[in-house]
Amino acid sequence: MKKPFLTLAQAKEIAKTYPTPFHIYDERGIRANARALKAAFAWNPGFKEYFAVKATPTPGILKLLREEGCGVDCSSLTELMMAEKCGFSGNEIMFSSNETPASEFALAAKLGAYINLDDLTHVDFLRETLGYVPETVCCRFNPGGMFTLGESKEGFQVMDNPGQAKYGMTRPQLAQAFTRLRELGAKQFGIHAFLASNTISNEYYPALARLLFETAADVAEETGCPVAFINLSGGVGVPYRPDQSANDIAAIGAGVRRAYEEILVPAGMGDVAIFTELGRFMLAPFGHLVTTAVHEKHIYKEYIGVDACAANLMRPAIYGAYHHITVLGKEDAPRDHVYDVVGSLCENSDKFAIDRALPKIDAGDTLVIHDTGAHGFSMGYNYNGKLRSAELLLREDGSVELMRRAETPEDYFATLVW
Ligand SMILES: *Cc1c(COP(=O)(O)O)cnc(C)c1O
């Protein structure tokens, strides 16, 4: 059973100052989870998590993660600017982007970030942009084909399609990129790959690690280029549905360690650092979208209209993603009603839940939409003239801090020429 980190009384108290809808994040959960990740990879002295900023681009969150030893993974100009403003610099920043504009490479280099190149042609583009190549450069690898894991009667535990993904270089291009980068002055190299998203499996990272470790040993031997780090990127998922079980990060760390000791250590590469770029795993479970039921409608189906909409959380509307819902104060009530819980956009996809069994909901009830801490607020938009909500931090001492105020009509109008 999914349990909210907020009680009804807390939510009502917060709503007096910050009306619903709002996104709220749980400091205690975020810190504990970041520490568990760090502990799981403590066997690797160079280990560092670079939090994927796009998941939750909120300075209050980034600073908190920095206190836990995390860096940031940026993929755009404004994300780099935000990272800089939050105090990240040099090796605390990974810049993993694609179709990258020159101005973004320039800022990444100025900040001393690790630059992760998405394509072979970016090697010379980087050199032309900067006039040099940095001493350490990372390249993104795409092995192509299908990536599958753990076949059973129910199908594959993990399945994704790198062969259809626009990212990364082929294996021959990886060696060409390393060789060319070294000619241009690079001295150390990183390898990165992102093969599957939101994996609920302790085997994803170890399987990816095995593939990258073998590739790294191979490319290092072929080119003579020394590999300094291997970036396992994102993709470790969270259980959005109550019947799914969470990944065990300690088991994942141990699985990666086994691959490291079997492949890298014998290849004389026992000093390679392991990096991660997790977004969802770091934040999703520790965010709630809190919303109030405003209307109840009975036509061919039963609808509950809430004051949040897809502009606040787009995942259900764009890919039918499941987000669990708890009616605060009715946690133990029987789920004997079936509702579509919907927002107010003029789009029929604006449904947080479809045919969901929930307790009887009355206007004024407070609903928590779970697992919105990553790819939630950040995917928000202004369709239908809807305004983005506030983002709040629930501190470990129970106090609440405003990290981002709600948008106002003035914000919405600010870019217009009348
Ligand atoms: C989106 C992204 C991540 C984070 O992915 P999660 O699934 O949130 O862990 C990491 N690295 C890159 C390059 C990404 O694009």
Side-chain angles (χ1 to χ4, degrees), residues 102 105-110 115 125-134:
F105 277 139
L107 180 55
K110 185 179 148 237
I115 293 178
F125 184 80
L126 181 69
R127 162 65 200 263
E128 281 156 35
T129 302
L130 304 180
Y132 65 95
V133 301

Side-chain angles (χ1 to χ4, degrees), residues 52 54-55 73 96 140 192 194 197-198 233-236 277-281 375:
K54 69 162 193 243
D73 167 41
S96 289
R140 185 166 181 166
H192 168 285
F194 190 153
S197 216
N198 191 33
S233 78
V236 176
E277 275 176 1
L278 296 168
R280 196 186 310 273
F281 179 79
H375 312 294

Side-chain angles (χ1 to χ4, degrees), residues 103-180:
S103 57
E104 303 192 0
F105 277 139
L107 180 55
K110 185 179 148 237
L111 297 178
Y114 284 132
I115 293 178
N116 183 20
L117 295 180
D118 186 64
D119 189 49
L120 178 57
T121 60
H122 294 191
V123 173
D124 282 283
F125 184 80
L126 181 69
R127 162 65 200 263
E128 281 156 35
T129 302
L130 304 180
Y132 65 95
V133 301
E135 219 175 272
T136 307
V137 183
C138 183
C139 290
R140 185 166 181 166
F141 173 49
N142 181 339
M146 287 296 286
F147 181 82
T148 54
L149 206 64
E151 189 175 10
S152 70
K153 277 200 301 292
E154 292 80 45
F156 291 105
Q157 212 183 107
V158 172
M159 182 162 93
D160 224 311
N161 197 348
Q164 294 295 319
K166 66 172 177 170
Y167 310 105
M169 311 180 191
T170 66
R171 170 62 184 80
Q173 288 174 336
L174 190 62
Q176 278 176 272
F178 276 23
T179 305
R180 177 72 183 141

Side-chain angles (χ1 to χ4, degrees), residues 39-74:
F41 285 90
W43 54 268
N44 183 259
F47 174 77
K48 197 170 181 72
E49 149 72 3
Y50 292 84
F51 175 66
V53 174
K54 69 162 193 243
T56 322
T58 310
I61 298 292
L62 302 187
K63 289 181 199 165
L64 195 159
L65 288 172
R66 186 162 186 263
E67 289 171 9
E68 296 299 334
C70 299
V72 278
D73 167 41
C74 299

